[in-house]
Amino acid sequence: MGGAKAGRMLTATGLMSLLFLSIIAPQVAALGGEATIESASISIALSPQIETASFSYTFDVEEQSGQSADVTVHSTLSTIAGVLIESINESRTVAMNGVESFSVTFSAVPFGYSIVETTLSGDAGLNSSTHVTSFNRTIQRMVPLDVSLAEGGDFTFTSIDATGLMTGNLTVNDGDHVAIQLPILNNGDYDWNGTLSASVTSGSLNEWINTSNVEVLAMSSTVVTLNTSIPMTEGLASLSVALNDSGDGDASDESRLVQFTIAPPPLPMLDGSIELVTQAYNAGDVLDWNLTLYNNGSRDYSGDVVCMFGQITALNQSTELAIGGTSILAFTTQARPAELSCVAQGMRLSDASTFPVSVDFNVVSAIFEAAGSTTPGVLDGPWHVGDSARFSMLVRNHGEIQGSIALECTTAQAVYTSPTLTLDVDAAGEVSVIVPMLADGDQTIEWRLVSSDGSVDEGLNGSVTVPVAAKQVLTPKVESVTWDAEEGVNMDWSVTLGEGVDRDVRIRIGYFDSGDTYLLDYTVVLTPGITSDSLHLGFVNADRVSIRVDAMNWSEAFGPSSDSKSVPSERPVYSLVMSELASPSRPSTGQGATVQVTISNTGNADGIAGEILLLGEDRTLYGTQSTDALSVGESKTMSFTLDWPEGTRVKLEAVWTVDGDQITALGSFTSADAAVVEDSFTIPWVGLFGGVALAGAILAAVQIRQKQGLTPSKKSKTPAKLKSNSKSEATDEKIQVGCPECARQLRVPASYSGSVRCPDCSNRFDVEGAPAEEEDEDIETVEEPEEEPVDEKIEVSCPECSQSLRVPSSYAGSVRCPACEHVFKAQG
């Protein structure tokens, strides 16, 4: 027992030692149960990828020998290089044939690759195909997306041509295009695909370039090349480039602003020297010069070479000079003190050129200075476009010999030089030049004193500003045109001269018929403003009146101008009508009678006064009357009283003299000396009874009629008396006969046979009736009034002359116009 106890104590002591040793040396076999890690229970993959700093895994420890086992699990997190990052130990007792589950969590897993290792110590068993006492895994913590542009210093700029081919230039020169290489870095563990935008600015040109589908794999870089389509300009150019929203959360490294230098283009490098060829000379003589040029640059020269001798251009010549070439240019000047300076124009030169070159030339000569103001005076203002300004200056020769001087003025259009003035030593004089002002606004005129044989003091050149107003406007206008029957055509006119100075103007005023006829043509000085007047043209045959104005020795705004207006077309229209009846209606020869005429103005203008003459058929003047002016639409009837002339039919003519015209009207009147056939006829009593018996019968008839008019109750007795005194009764039946000339219907007794005369056409013709007791005799349209109601009279117009006539309403025969003697049907 004691030995057993001692053995157990020894065993316990040994177990403690073994346990201690198991901690130090896990490979030492356990003295208790046999615990191992079940391989299938390990939750960690062989090469896991994680995104966070925390990492956890689990596994089971199983006892396989039938005894409990005391074990310790030791887990570590280390770098690939073996540097310990984190360590975790956990001890447990695993019951016989039991299983214990372990969980390990590391909280500081670094980015990139790390090694996780777990070792079982204590009562650990042996490794098998299904169980192990330790295991390790490599884990990868994924680095987040981290895309960035390289620093500006890593960008490269290469010279290319317009087609994108490299030029071979070591630098990008003026005029070249540029290829830009941009590195893009991806320091994350995720691929990136996106867009790049760039803006290139050089000189005044700018270009935007967008590149899509730019791909950068994880933990790698790529280079994007951008080719510009704009040429570069010498100096600093700028590039602004940015990645479009990479999504890595840090945009500070995703855009860059870079400046790069554009070198000058290949340039010619000119060197030159001036040589005076002439050996002997005096002031004013011609000098011969040679200019020698060398091109030591990297490009041919093609441009102008200009040499100035003082203010005078001595040489201006187009020159081409190849690389390494030489050229000699010859020119002449006049001998006078001045600086000769030569420059190259039209092409840029290298800064290493020794051009331009200059030399000072001296000779005894005249020397000119200002004798008064050091700037020329400007005279004859104020000025408008088209006017001329006179530049004048006093100068003095304070040199050693006689010399000549002139004033030169230069405008935007031309150079104007005064006549040359020759001055002796210490003499003074005036130089002046006329310069036209061809534009409005403030005109800057460059001026200088020039001399071909002398020098001019410093400062005798410069510029003068001349204020020039716009051209003055000259506007003629016909204000109004009137026509008056008394005076004819009158016009009011005006001419407006715009603001400025007084001007000479030619004015022409007249009218237009088949061409222009000017009644006034004169030149006058107008002041700015409106000048107006009136002109009486009188009775001219004109459609329009006009005014024309022309500037005399100056330039007006719109050139010669004119204006016109139509002459009013309103005129009076005169008419003259003579009444068809005289008063009395059938005057006797020598009897005082009155005829009437009516004058009218049917036009659309008032008339003027005139005069009417009343003439007979033989042009005898029977009367004259003045007529007043007739207003529009006014008519007036005038009466003439005259001793009635002889003749059975009297013709009169009225002549109205008005407004330079003569208007006539004719009238034909029947005198009492002629019998007139009216509406009915009676037997001619003179032919039946003759002499005194006829007169007694007529007197008895007249008395009977008068009594009948006074005592109507006795009316029935009168026919009985008349019947007893006459074989032909007044109630004899009437018949109608037609005039064979004009078809006028005449009423004659049925028993009458003989001649009758038509009252209209005066035609005589025979009629036959019942036999009569008295001898047939010619009768002149004698009619007997009947005791019938008088027909109402109506007016008809002559179709030939429009004369109005009054005829019975029931009459359908023909009538003769008393004015023109035209025969026409009264009705129908």
Side-chain angles (χ1 to χ4, degrees), residues 76-87 108 110 113-116:
T76 61
L77 175 66
S78 304
T79 66
I80 291 294
V83 178
L84 181 64
I85 299 174
E86 194 172 353
S87 176
Y113 292 93
S114 302
I115 296 177
V116 174

Side-chain angles (χ1 to χ4, degrees), residues 243-255:
L243 300 176
N244 293 24
D245 192 16
S246 69
D248 66 359
D250 181 13
S252 63
D253 57 359
E254 295 176 7
S255 62

Side-chain angles (χ1 to χ4, degrees), residues 579-596 639-645 648 650 652 668-673 676 678:
S579 175
E580 63 185 42
L581 295 176
S583 180
S585 61
R586 295 183 181 88
S588 301
T589 300
Q591 182 183 3
T594 301
V595 295
Q596 291 182 332
S639 299
F640 286 85
T641 301
L642 68 157
D643 293 336
W644 200 251
T648 57
V650 175
L652 298 177
S668 181
F669 303 89
T670 302
S671 302
D673 298 338
V676 179
E678 293 185 0

Side-chain angles (χ1 to χ4, degrees), residues 58 82 86 113 118 162 217 233 294 342 385 393 402 416 468 473 502 522 526 546 592 624 679 756 790 805:
T58 61
E86 194 172 353
Y113 292 93
T118 297
L217 300 178
T233 301
Y294 310 90
C342 296
V385 174
M393 190 172 185
Q402 183 187 74
Y416 303 89
V468 180
V473 177
D502 295 352
Y522 64 99
L526 293 184
S546 62
T624 176
D679 293 337
V756 294
V790 179
L805 298 87

Side-chain angles (χ1 to χ4, degrees), residues 249-282:
D250 181 13
S252 63
D253 57 359
E254 295 176 7
S255 62
R256 296 283 185 261
L257 178 61
V258 179
Q259 289 187 327
F260 56 100
T261 301
I262 305 300
L267 298 173
M269 184 176 70
L270 294 187
D271 297 319
S273 62
I274 298 174
E275 176 188 6
L276 176 60
V277 178
T278 304
Q279 298 298 320
Y281 49 82
N282 293 311

Side-chain angles (χ1 to χ4, degrees), residues 400-748:
E400 300 180 39
I401 60 175
Q402 183 187 74
S404 59
I405 189 73
L407 175 62
E408 181 182 277
C409 291
T410 303
T411 68
Q413 295 80 24
V415 177
Y416 303 89
T417 305
S418 71
T420 299
L421 174 66
T422 300
L423 293 177
D424 292 330
V425 176
D426 293 330
E430 178 193 21
V431 286
S432 65
V433 59
I434 301 297
V435 179
M437 300 292 104
L438 303 179
D440 61 349
D442 289 342
Q443 301 300 305
T444 300
I445 311 299
E446 301 292 336
W447 68 273
R448 64 178 182 175
L449 291 176
V450 294
S451 174
S452 61
D453 55 5
S455 64
V456 179
D457 286 355
E458 291 290 334
L460 295 183
N461 64 291
S463 63
V464 175
T465 299
V466 180
V468 180
K471 292 182 178 181
Q472 287 176 270
V473 177
L474 186 61
T475 307
K477 184 177 182 181
V478 178
E479 300 288 350
S480 64
V481 182
T482 60
W483 183 90
D484 183 271
E486 294 285 351
E487 296 184 355
V489 179
N490 287 281
M491 65 178 289
D492 294 329
W493 58 270
S494 67
V495 177
T496 301
L497 178 62
E499 183 179 352
V501 299
D502 295 352
R503 297 291 190 181
D504 288 337
V505 173
R506 181 185 181 188
I507 299 177
R508 287 178 281 179
I509 304 175
Y511 61 89
F512 180 85
D513 183 8
S514 57
D516 288 320
T517 300
Y518 293 113
L519 302 180
L520 287 182
D521 188 345
Y522 64 99
T523 300
V524 65
V525 177
L526 293 184
T527 59
I530 299 176
T531 300
S532 61
D533 202 350
S534 300
L535 178 64
H536 173 60
L537 285 78
F539 293 95
V540 294
N541 183 21
D543 297 326
R544 305 179 68 83
V545 297
S546 62
I547 178 172
R548 178 184 176 91
V549 294
D550 299 279
M552 303 297 291
N553 301 319
W554 60 282
S555 179
E556 58 180 298
F558 304 112
S561 57
S562 62
D563 189 34
S564 65
K565 252 187 178 52
S566 297
V567 175
S569 60
E570 292 80 7
R571 295 289 187 275
V573 177
Y574 301 107
S575 63
L576 172 65
V577 177
M578 182 178 289
S579 175
E580 63 185 42
L581 295 176
S583 180
S585 61
R586 295 183 181 88
S588 301
T589 300
Q591 182 183 3
T594 301
V595 295
Q596 291 182 332
V597 294
T598 300
I599 57 175
S600 303
N601 178 8
T602 59
N604 47 20
D606 293 341
I608 62 173
E611 184 180 39
I612 295 180
L613 304 179
L614 184 64
L615 304 173
E617 191 173 4
D618 59 355
R619 310 307 292 171
T620 301
L621 177 62
Y622 290 106
T624 176
Q625 290 189 42
S626 297
T627 60
D628 295 331
L630 296 181
S631 302
V632 175
E634 183 181 2
S635 296
K636 186 175 182 180
T637 300
M638 307 181 69
S639 299
F640 286 85
T641 301
L642 68 157
D643 293 336
W644 200 251
E646 294 180 356
T648 57
R649 181 167 295 281
V650 175
K651 294 184 179 180
L652 298 177
E653 179 183 12
V655 180
W656 185 18
T657 303
V658 61
D659 202 7
D661 292 329
Q662 285 188 341
I663 304 169
T664 62
L666 299 175
S668 181
F669 303 89
T670 302
S671 302
D673 298 338
V676 179
V677 178
E678 293 185 0
D679 293 337
S680 61
F681 295 87
T682 60
I683 297 173
W685 296 103
V686 176
L688 295 178
F689 299 104
V692 177
L694 176 60
I698 293 174
L699 180 59
V702 172
Q703 289 176 350
I704 291 172
R705 289 181 181 276
Q706 288 176 345
K707 289 180 181 181
Q708 288 176 346
L710 295 173
T711 57
S713 61
K714 298 179 179 181
K715 184 176 180 182
S716 60
K717 297 178 180 180
T718 304
K721 292 180 179 180
L722 290 173
K723 187 176 182 179
S724 63
N725 293 333
S726 174
K727 294 181 180 180
S728 297
E729 298 178 353
T731 57
D732 194 3
E733 182 182 358
K734 303 294 193 299
I735 63 173
Q736 286 189 344
V737 295
C739 174
E741 184 70 23
C742 67
R744 169 72 183 267
Q745 296 298 309
L746 307 176
R747 290 169 59 86
V748 299

Side-chain angles (χ1 to χ4, degrees), residues 190-209:
Y190 298 91
D191 296 342
W192 178 80
N193 183 284
T195 301
L196 180 144
S197 298
S199 173
V200 180
T201 301
S202 179
S204 61
L205 301 179
N206 175 264
E207 180 181 12
W208 279 93
I209 304 174

